[in-house]
Amino acid sequence: MKLKQAVTGIAVLASMTTAAHAQSAGSFFVSTGWFHLAPQSSSQPLRVTSIGGSPTDITEANTGASLGSADTIGVTAGYFVTDHIAAEFVIGYPPTFDLNGTGSLEQFGKLGQAKQWSPTLLFKYYFNAPTATFRPYLGIGVSRIWFTDEKITNGAFQSNVLHGPTSVTTDSSWEPVFNAGFTYAFNQHWFAGVSVSYLPLSTTAKLNTQAQTPVGTLNVQSQTKIKLNPIVTYVNIGYRF
């Protein structure tokens, strides 16, 4: 009987030790899941900064744009520095955002689109014990933001407002990220998680137009500052090593 109790005790201790290291210092984890990006967007009016090479400062009143929401798949990889602090790298397949007209431009609907890249480094503080099934956390980090494949897709907007073929470029920037969420452990390896992040993000879209005018084709440069401020939700499943 004593031998049986001893063996049972050793087995329980071993399982507790294994579980204790599931979310503790020195452990790695990966996850994959679905991102939903919901911009809280607004923009400044379109401002013409140059006509035919001559600087101008002409504001097109009652013009603006907003961004639609987007979804994409993402992956993360992280490391527990301590039992409660983890560093995590986050990246997703670049989602495509639609740019929609507002104000006098609302009649045109979708004006253009662009893909957003935003690899992110987060530092998270996990509450509860490393062996806990449910572990909420708070995080803060930084994201590098840039856009690709920016283009005007609305022919009527391009012809009637911009008056010619137009190319678009956008600024890149470093932005802070504020994050909160939780994980739920199914066992010592597998877990599911939900998180919400906020990025105070803005970018300046610069338009370069070959405008058709009564005196011929003139290069017209214009720009607008767009606030995205996306709220990003992430539902995922992960594995701890």
Side-chain angles (χ1 to χ4, degrees):
M1 178 63 70
K2 290 183 178 180
L3 178 60
K4 182 177 180 180
Q5 290 176 340
V7 171
T8 302
I10 292 171
V12 171
L13 180 61
S15 65
M16 290 176 62
T17 302
T18 302
H21 288 283
Q23 303 180 65
S24 56
S27 60
F28 291 88
F29 62 91
V30 294
S31 75
T32 185
W34 200 253
F35 285 101
H36 177 73
L37 299 90
Q40 313 302 299
S41 61
S42 62
S43 75
Q44 295 178 350
L46 188 67
R47 184 167 63 91
V48 180
T49 59
S50 173
I51 299 177
S54 299
T56 61
D57 189 7
I58 303 171
T59 298
E60 301 287 351
N62 196 33
T63 58
S66 65
L67 274 77
S69 60
D71 296 275
T72 192
I73 191 169
V75 295
T76 73
Y79 176 76
F80 275 90
V81 181
T82 72
D83 288 351
H84 294 278
I85 298 175
E88 181 175 308
F89 179 72
V90 184
I91 192 167
Y93 183 82
T96 298
F97 285 100
D98 290 340
L99 185 69
N100 303 303
T102 60
S104 63
L105 303 182
E106 186 174 1
Q107 61 180 309
F108 296 102
K110 177 182 174 181
L111 305 179
Q113 63 186 40
K115 291 183 178 180
Q116 178 193 320
W117 299 77
S118 53
T120 300
L121 179 64
L122 288 172
F123 293 94
K124 298 179 175 180
Y125 183 87
Y126 284 78
F127 300 91
N128 297 340
T131 53
T133 299
F134 176 77
R135 297 197 74 184
Y137 59 80
L138 294 175
I140 191 168
V142 64
S143 184
R144 178 63 175 174
I145 310 289
W146 73 92
F147 295 85
T148 60
D149 298 334
E150 308 102 315
K151 56 186 174 183
I152 302 298
T153 59
N154 189 303
F157 168 68
Q158 190 165 244
S159 299
N160 299 330
V161 177
L162 301 176
H163 305 294
T166 301
S167 60
V168 185
T169 58
T170 52
D171 292 338
S172 58
S173 61
W174 292 94
E175 302 294 345
V177 181
F178 303 96
N179 175 256
F182 67 86
T183 60
Y184 182 88
F186 300 114
N187 54 46
Q188 68 184 54
H189 292 298
W190 291 98
F191 67 92
V194 176
S195 72
V196 178
S197 299
Y198 174 73
L199 289 78
L201 168 64
S202 63
T203 187
T204 299
K206 299 176 181 179
L207 287 67
N208 193 311
T209 303
Q210 300 304 310
Q212 308 304 310
T213 73
V215 296
T217 301
L218 293 177
N219 178 258
V220 176
Q221 297 181 2
S222 54
Q223 65 181 44
T224 181
K225 184 175 182 179
I226 303 172
K227 292 183 179 180
L228 286 77
N229 298 343
I231 296 174
V232 183
T233 53
Y234 180 48
V235 180
N236 62 88
I237 188 166
Y239 185 87
R240 295 187 184 91
F241 298 92

